[in-house]
Amino acid sequence: MSWDTNWDTIFKERPWGKYPGEDLIRFVARNFYQSPDRSAIKILEVGSGTGANLWFIAREGFQAYGVEGSLTGVELTQQRLNQEVDGW
């Protein structure tokens, strides 16, 4: 069940949010790329939408977690991670 049906509508009607923003990429790179064990780092995104940021985080070897109020957003995230991230 969604707690924000407005986002359900948006995510169903608009194919956007496929790639993470540059600010997130820079933040993760500056703070976590030098870690000797990326799989030990857990990153939580609140309001994860269709999963673009989670996709990036998981593909870079970190543990990715998300909270999303739109069931459609969660479903799209799960589909993408299952298809594109090894070992998800």
Side-chain angles (χ1 to χ4, degrees):
M1 175 181 207
S2 296
W3 72 64
D4 190 340
T5 57
N6 292 321
W7 283 107
D8 275 332
T9 303
I10 292 169
F11 293 147
K12 287 178 184 175
E13 294 177 354
R14 300 181 188 166
W16 56 281
K18 188 169 182 172
Y19 300 103
E22 291 178 32
D23 291 336
L24 173 84
I25 294 169
R26 281 190 204 105
F27 177 83
V28 171
R30 285 181 186 149
N31 291 284
F32 303 114
Y33 271 15
Q34 299 304 318
S35 172
D37 182 8
R38 289 184 183 184
S39 66
I41 296 174
K42 301 175 184 179
I43 300 175
L44 169 66
E45 180 179 25
V46 178
S48 55
T50 58
N53 295 338
L54 297 177
W55 167 82
F56 166 74
I57 292 164
R59 294 226 7 185
E60 291 298 310
F62 304 104
Q63 293 185 52
Y65 298 89
V67 175
E68 174 54 48
S70 161
L71 182 58
T72 301
V74 171
E75 290 170 349
L76 291 170
T77 298
Q78 289 174 332
Q79 288 171 10
R80 184 168 187 201
L81 291 175
N82 287 336
Q83 291 173 355
E84 298 182 26
V85 179
D86 290 336
W88 182 257

